Amino acid sequence: MWLRRDLRLGDLPPLIAAQEAADDVLVCFVVDPRLEKSSGPRRLSFLFDSLRDLDDSLSGRLLVVRGRPEKEIPRLAKAVDATSVHVTEDFSPFGRRRDDAVTEALGDVDLEAEGSPYLVSPGRVTKNDGEPYKVFTPYFNQWREHGWRAPASSSLSTSDTVDPSDITRSGRIKIPAAPVELDHPAGESAATKRWREFVDDDLAGYDSDRDRPDLDASSRMSAYLKFGNIHPRTMAADLGRSKGAKSYLRELAFRDFYAAVLHHWPDSAWHNWNRQFDDIELDTDKDAYRRLDAWKEGRTGFPIVDAGMRQLAESGFMHNRVRMITASFLVKDLHLPWWWGAQWFLEQLTDGDMASNQHGWQWAAGTGTDAAPYFRVFNPETQCKKFDPDGEYVRRWVPEIDTDDYPDPIVDHKAEREEALRRFRQI
Ligand code: FAD
């Protein structure tokens, strides 16, 4: 059983398949130096802590190695005489390339993929003519109709696990220490606990409160979902039919939608999904980098933007509404490339995810599928009044807000809005 973005033992279909294929299962994880380099310290902390949690659940029998999977997996398969290698299917462009390379290197041993990190796997829901959906609402209707399986009842006892210390030259490494501290604990048991708390305390009010960054009313499940500490199927099974539940399910559908969009258009990870925007005028000079730094550091003089950017830098999380506001600000008020902002988010976010992040950005930039129309420019002040009515969120992250230490706005929103519209009209 080769774990990747499915760091749990419960509701894990490939684990059941592995147990059906052999009496004893070796559970392993390959730390890939390429991902280690691009992951950002918080995602690495979350990964390593999740691995530690799993290793504890397996009484120290999780085998962690470091290297290129196409070398390490065939080597381990040979070492334990594996008849097959079992994984959860990965649909990201990087994951697909990696798995193709591993399949080839494994030769006669099959790489068997089952399940995915989604309720409905990318590619399953298409229009009648087989074309992928570009608009969310019809996708969502079809997605609900498609449905998903009940949670799989998987588990693994230590006695059915291969002990890595019995493998000569296993290449085992100690699970690395977390480079930074996290604001929420990682791992399967923490994910289950957080989910229970949310269902008991906040699900009922989710529909009305989810847009309010001051209320802490969202589930904070995103990092657990990203690393597969829990499967969304397990969560969906607890939802029920309340208004809050319906609204929550819609958000899980957004996660699936963006994964499907990235699956069908892999280039959209770093390029405009709507290529008509390739010609829009962007600022990339020295002054653009100065504005980028002010944005990153939360010194733009726009309170809701600065609060969000500081929450991100200090905690590795930002509320969804504020992600939309700060992203819109970078693109429409500062005229910078959306991928500059997306890169910073990926570096900082614990839940940083190629599909949700890049397409969240393309939504805000107006360049994505079913995106906010480019000409609809968020006004940071109005957004702040509406979604942080008492200014509580802003004061939490920008304590000097009412003092002379707080900077003046770095741009004039009204003028930059006009400038954004001028650039839009040009294309
Ligand atoms: P909840 O409101 O409790 O939502 C429940 C779950 O639904 C989330 O955990 C998430 O898995 C999913 N979800 C909710 N909203 C969205 C959405 N708009 N798109 C996709 N899935 C969604 N989400 C990430 O997981 N990783 C990212 O890197 C990421 N980057 C984003 C960048 C931008 C510019 C924007 C606008 C959104 C981004 N999102 C990202 C989506 C969303 O902001 C987060 O999923 C959410 O804030 C996580 O908090 P929560 O778990 O408390 O959310």
Side-chain angles (χ1 to χ4, degrees):
M1 175 74 217
W2 172 25
L3 296 169
R4 294 96 65 86
R5 282 184 57 187
D6 47 359
L7 304 178
R8 64 181 184 277
L9 296 175
D11 194 0
L12 186 57
L15 180 58
I16 297 174
Q19 285 168 306
E20 281 166 3
D23 292 339
D24 292 330
V25 178
L26 172 70
V27 187
C28 65
F29 184 89
V30 183
V31 178
D32 185 334
R34 290 169 298 178
L35 289 180
E36 240 179 331
K37 222 166 126 193
S38 67
S39 280
R42 291 192 183 94
R43 273 193 285 157
L44 285 179
S45 292
F46 204 96
L47 167 66
F48 297 148
D49 285 354
S50 296
L51 292 176
R52 249 183 296 281
D53 177 63
L54 261 173
D55 192 42
D56 288 347
S57 305
L58 293 170
S59 313
R61 289 189 168 197
L62 173 70
L63 175 60
V64 179
V65 298
R66 178 181 273 118
R68 293 286 284 250
E70 66 271 27
K71 275 184 84 175
E72 296 303 311
I73 292 298
R75 187 178 65 72
L76 293 175
K78 199 163 169 213
V80 296
D81 232 344
T83 46
S84 46
V85 176
H86 296 263
V87 292
T88 299
E89 190 160 6
D90 190 338
F91 287 88
S92 69
F94 174 88
R96 278 157 58 197
R97 282 196 301 275
R98 176 200 55 207
D99 290 354
D100 286 347
V102 173
T103 302
E104 205 185 312
L106 273 171
D108 291 342
V109 178
D110 284 340
L111 182 72
E112 292 189 16
E114 194 164 337
S116 80
Y118 305 102
L119 281 165
V120 178
S121 300
R124 284 275 171 87
V125 169
T126 55
K127 294 190 218 169
N128 287 340
D129 61 4
E131 286 294 305
Y133 280 104
K134 296 174 185 171
V135 179
F136 177 72
T137 304
Y139 168 88
F140 179 46
N141 293 335
Q142 188 61 32
W143 177 89
R144 264 188 315 203
E145 203 149 290
H146 180 285
W148 43 87
R149 296 189 267 186
S153 50
S154 60
S155 62
L156 186 63
S157 66
T158 310
S159 57
D160 296 333
T161 323
V162 175
D163 186 348
S165 45
D166 291 343
I167 308 172
T168 44
R169 287 203 290 272
S170 67
R172 187 177 203 178
I173 61 162
K174 197 167 169 271
I175 299 169
V180 290
E181 218 174 291
L182 297 169
D183 65 344
H184 275 50
E188 186 169 14
S189 44
T192 310
K193 183 166 175 270
R194 173 67 205 132
W195 177 239
R196 289 259 144 264
E197 279 167 10
F198 173 73
V199 171
D200 292 345
D201 302 342
D202 291 316
L203 180 60
Y206 181 76
D207 183 56
S208 54
D209 295 343
R210 55 176 289 270
D211 256 334
R212 290 274 302 271
D214 54 333
L215 297 181
D216 290 326
S218 71
S219 69
R220 295 297 309 264
M221 291 303 289
S222 49
Y224 297 122
L225 284 164
K226 161 76 199 169
F227 289 89
N229 287 166
I230 191 166
H231 195 280
R233 214 170 19 223
T234 303
M235 294 159 64
D238 291 338
L239 280 175
R241 295 179 159 271
S242 66
K243 213 171 166 195
K246 283 190 182 142
S247 178
Y248 196 87
L249 195 64
R250 195 168 177 277
E251 296 310 314
L252 291 178
F254 259 113
R255 180 174 175 269
D256 286 15
F257 177 61
Y258 286 146
V261 171
L262 186 62
H263 172 68
H264 291 295
W265 292 278
D267 284 354
S268 67
W270 292 108
H271 298 281
N272 293 321
W273 178 86
N274 179 350
R275 301 308 288 245
Q276 284 176 315
F277 279 91
D278 287 359
D279 293 329
I280 202 162
E281 191 186 332
L282 298 169
D283 291 356
T284 55
D285 58 356
K286 216 168 148 194
D287 190 59
Y289 281 96
R290 189 188 56 78
R291 279 178 274 144
L292 176 69
D293 284 344
W295 177 83
K296 283 182 180 175
E297 290 161 18
R299 293 185 287 102
T300 67
F302 288 84
I304 189 81
V305 174
D306 292 342
M309 296 311 296
R310 294 189 199 184
Q311 180 182 23
L312 177 66
E314 285 171 39
S315 75
F317 183 80
M318 195 197 296
H319 186 275
N320 179 60
R321 168 61 46 181
V322 193
R323 291 188 205 202
M324 298 196 294
I325 298 170
T326 53
S328 171
F329 187 81
L330 180 115
V331 175
K332 313 267 175 83
D333 286 78
L334 303 184
H335 316 295
L336 307 181
W338 64 258
W339 49 94
W340 287 13
Q343 176 76 48
W344 178 248
F345 269 36
L346 283 180
E347 254 172 74
Q348 296 293 314
L349 284 169
T350 311
D351 66 24
D353 174 78
M354 269 320 237
S356 297
N357 188 60
Q358 307 313 82
H359 284 285
W361 271 92
Q362 295 229 38
W363 179 89
T367 60
T369 40
D370 203 9
Y374 188 86
F375 52 81
R376 202 179 292 153
V377 178
F378 274 29
N379 179 326
E381 209 177 308
T382 324
Q383 290 282 318
C384 192
K385 276 193 192 132
K386 190 162 173 204
F387 297 109
D388 184 27
D390 305 320
E392 209 177 289
Y393 174 75
V394 165
R395 273 195 306 278
R396 197 183 306 158
W397 296 103
V398 189
E400 83 280 19
I401 187 72
D402 297 320
T403 72
D404 290 343
D405 290 339
Y406 186 65
D408 290 333
I410 57 167
V411 292
D412 174 354
H413 172 70
K414 224 173 137 198
E416 300 311 336
R417 177 178 178 278
E418 285 309 315
E419 173 61 11
L421 296 179
R422 184 192 68 76
R423 294 180 186 211
F424 179 58
R425 276 193 299 270
Q426 274 186 340
I427 60 156

